[in-house]
Amino acid sequence: MEDQPNLNYINSLSEGDKSFEMKLLAIIKKEFKQEKNTYYNNTKNNNFKLCAENVHKIKHKISILGLEKSYEIAEQYENNLREGNYELQNKFSDILNKVTNYLNKL
Amino acid sequence: MNCIIIDDEATSRTIIGELCSNYNNLNVVEVFSNAIEAIKYLNQNETDLIFLDIHMPDFNGFDFIRTLKNPPIIILTTADADFAINAFEYDCIVDYIVKPIKPKRFSKSIQKVEAKFNEEISRATSKKNNPSVNDDFYVNINKRLIKIDIQSIYLVEAKGDYIYLKTDNKNYTVHSTLKKIEEKLPDHMFLKIHRSYIININRIIDIEDNSVLIEKDIVPVSRSNRPELMKRLNLL
């Protein structure tokens, strides 16, 4: 079954502190958007090394949102990029869309 | 403990800062988004603990550690478990936490830091108060540096611009002051009993009125120093 994003980790950190949750989510939204845009720009330029760096940063957000299976795909994709290939690119794009949709609804 | 956070991800810096806020003994003094800024800061300031991301562009966490002459306690934070083996090369690294950092895992890490921090304080205190058998210092006599074993010293006497050092093996006249040598001697073993004399209290044979017999020397005890001397004796 496909994993779904959730706020379990953030809730465990905040222990009910709503202002912290809001603050952290605002930072995640902003940073995720920047990292995603940078990643897509780097894919256009076929810069594998920089793409791998972007995926590395993005995968932390994926794990924060509880997407364990997606995290594994992102990790494998990062390794593929370091080896100079785009295998799993489409799956990773799907993950980015899933996270984007989820963050937009929050 | 004062600590700093170095991580190029704002999300990580915020999470680590929040986790630290749950501990009264952790005081986050500064946060840095790159290692270069942190190096500049550490050139001017000290810290007890660093939360350090490994994976940063240009200058990674291990590069950063190699620039530090006396690195404080470091906790590595990373999204990769792959670098863990490298961490064993550095004594200053007490833990390696994989992101996302869970509160329970963070707590374990802080326990390790506290243990290491207390161990270092205790070692520093112990070194001051309990020098090992080999602890010594060097004195300059006729352009020669001569090693003096601290435990062999039983009496130091000030004589004008010189001090007279009496040891088990030999006596030395050294151009120095009583104050300077007092700083080199461990407090638990030596005591200034007169403005011109420091003695090794373990070598006292007897005390009579205002004098002390130490080896074969009779040394005066000033009235102001006598209470401290009496306090230090293991009286029956």
Side-chain angles (χ1 to χ4, degrees), chain B residues 11-29:
Chain B
T11 301
S12 294
R13 296 194 297 272
T14 308
I15 289 172
I16 296 168
E18 173 68 10
L19 288 164
C20 287
S21 70
N22 296 325
Y23 296 82
N24 291 333
N25 57 345
L26 291 182
N27 177 30
V28 179
V29 182

Side-chain angles (χ1 to χ4, degrees), chain A residues 9 12-15 17 20 23-24 27-28 31 35 53 56-57 59-61 63-64 71 75 78 82, chain B residues 7-12 14-15 18-19 22 53 55-57 78-80 98-103:
Chain A
Y9 172 72
S12 77
L13 276 183
S14 72
E15 294 177 331
D17 180 349
F20 170 73
K23 178 183 159 191
L24 182 59
I27 291 168
I28 290 172
E31 207 165 44
E35 287 166 352
E53 297 297 322
H56 181 86
K57 297 297 171 201
K59 75 179 185 186
H60 182 212
K61 274 98 185 161
S63 65
I64 286 173
Y71 180 86
E75 194 160 42
E78 182 188 344
R82 292 193 194 284
Chain B
D7 200 306
D8 62 329
E9 258 188 283
T11 301
S12 294
T14 308
I15 289 172
E18 173 68 10
L19 288 164
N22 296 325
D53 182 26
H55 211 105
M56 292 183 285
T78 175
D80 289 304
V98 178
K99 297 173 187 174
I101 305 170
K102 295 181 175 66

Side-chain angles (χ1 to χ4, degrees), chain A residues 28-89:
Chain A
I28 290 172
K29 282 180 186 180
K30 186 180 171 192
E31 207 165 44
F32 176 76
K33 191 178 175 186
Q34 289 167 345
E35 287 166 352
K36 189 178 73 171
N37 290 342
T38 310
Y39 161 75
Y40 280 126
N41 284 336
N42 286 327
T43 56
K44 281 178 199 161
N45 298 326
N46 274 333
N47 193 327
F48 291 100
K49 190 174 176 248
L50 289 180
C51 283
E53 297 297 322
N54 304 144
V55 173
H56 181 86
K57 297 297 171 201
I58 291 169
K59 75 179 185 186
H60 182 212
K61 274 98 185 161
I62 292 171
S63 65
I64 286 173
L65 296 174
L67 295 162
E68 291 177 16
K69 285 180 188 167
S70 301
Y71 180 86
E72 286 170 19
I73 293 167
E75 194 160 42
Q76 186 55 53
Y77 180 50
E78 182 188 344
N79 291 337
N80 294 344
L81 288 167
R82 292 193 194 284
E83 287 165 10
N85 75 73
Y86 280 121
E87 200 180 325
L88 295 175
Q89 185 182 22

